[in-house]
Amino acid sequence: MAFAQMTSCVRFHSHHGSNIVLGENNTVAYRKASFANGLVFSERSLKPGEVFFVKITQTELGWNGHLRLGLTQLDPNTFFDLPLISFDLLPLGQTWVFSIFKPGNEDSEVRLPSEVGSLIGLQYKPYNDLFAHLHLIVDGVDRGVVESDIPYHSKPLYVVADIYGTTKEIQIRQMHEVTSLQTACKAAIMQNIAQKAVGSLPLPKFLKDFLLYR
């Protein structure tokens, strides 16, 4: 998947954790103390298929844990009471949060997604009229589905980020998706064959599913 940068059109919301300081027209979020109280939200809701990126611009040694990212239907415009960490949002309403780094998955030859300079993104892709998959994107590479069955039609979905643990500062780096070769091939195939005929093609099931549902 390829991406091209454009002028930032999303900012952080003024409702944020008590340890957060916003800067650069609310596109940078810095945790000034401790390891928690670092919740931030997007100023507006995310659209289906829209890619949201943050770049890790500063880290801090001495803590455990890393950036957490996800979506929530909790509206930051209501200025509800914020918990210490993002996982404590889960009991409050429809929220889907994941950690970008899982201990034991280290690879010394590949830059870890928790390092300064890493570009971490998410995107939700509807797979029917009611629900969507949430994808994690690291340094321009789609790492696949991290959450499913997200009811994207019921309420707006805001990005939530938890500047937690070793992650000290992040910056919004909005992108728009450029058509990938995979997507272009799919479009070319579907222009020349009826959807109902896909099942009869001599292709593996996962390719048929890609043509029909993704």
Side-chain angles (χ1 to χ4, degrees):
M1 182 179 292
F3 297 93
Q5 190 170 349
M6 59 182 260
T7 302
S8 177
C9 57
V10 181
R11 297 179 176 86
F12 291 120
H13 199 281
S14 59
H15 186 46
H16 53 70
S18 59
N19 279 328
I20 290 296
V21 176
L22 300 181
E24 296 189 28
N25 201 19
N26 291 357
T27 62
V28 171
Y30 173 80
R31 194 187 72 244
K32 62 184 179 181
S34 183
F35 65 93
N37 284 311
L39 293 181
V40 290
F41 302 89
S42 59
E43 190 176 46
R44 65 165 175 81
S45 58
L46 207 63
K47 301 172 185 176
E50 183 179 8
V51 183
F52 179 91
F53 276 105
V54 294
K55 184 177 182 179
I56 296 177
T57 49
Q58 190 173 337
T59 57
E60 182 179 40
L61 298 177
W63 304 110
N64 293 320
H66 307 271
L67 176 69
R68 295 161 179 172
L69 199 61
L71 295 173
T72 183
Q73 290 180 333
L74 298 170
D75 187 349
N77 294 301
T78 64
F79 290 88
F80 60 92
D81 291 338
L82 297 180
L84 290 175
I85 60 175
S86 56
F87 290 145
D88 289 339
L89 290 172
L90 301 182
L92 302 181
Q94 293 284 71
T95 300
W96 301 265
V97 178
F98 56 90
S99 176
I100 65 162
F101 178 83
K102 295 181 179 180
N105 287 350
E106 299 92 342
D107 185 338
S108 60
E109 297 181 358
V110 178
R111 187 178 71 187
L112 297 176
S114 57
E115 291 183 346
V116 170
S118 293
L119 198 62
I120 313 300
L122 56 77
Q123 177 188 43
Y124 71 92
K125 297 182 179 181
Y127 57 86
N128 61 31
D129 292 338
L130 297 175
F131 298 103
H133 292 309
L134 178 59
H135 287 246
L136 168 66
I137 303 166
V138 179
D139 293 329
V141 178
D142 190 330
R143 298 297 180 92
V145 176
V146 290
E147 294 285 351
S148 296
D149 302 329
I150 296 177
Y152 70 98
H153 267 319
S154 58
K155 290 182 180 180
L157 288 162
Y158 294 86
V159 176
V160 55
D162 192 352
I163 305 175
Y164 178 79
T166 64
T167 305
K168 187 73 170 176
E169 183 185 81
I170 59 175
Q171 180 181 34
I172 293 176
R173 301 294 295 271
Q174 270 312 95
M175 305 283 178
H176 67 86
E177 189 171 354
V178 176
T179 302
S180 65
L181 177 60
Q182 185 182 50
T183 302
C185 289
K186 173 182 176 178
I189 292 171
M190 297 309 293
Q191 284 176 357
N192 292 282
I193 188 170
Q195 185 173 5
K196 62 183 180 182
V198 170
S200 62
L201 293 175
L203 296 172
K205 183 179 182 301
F206 77 91
L207 286 179
K208 294 179 182 179
D209 289 343
F210 172 74
L211 291 173
L212 290 172
Y213 305 117
R214 292 183 62 186

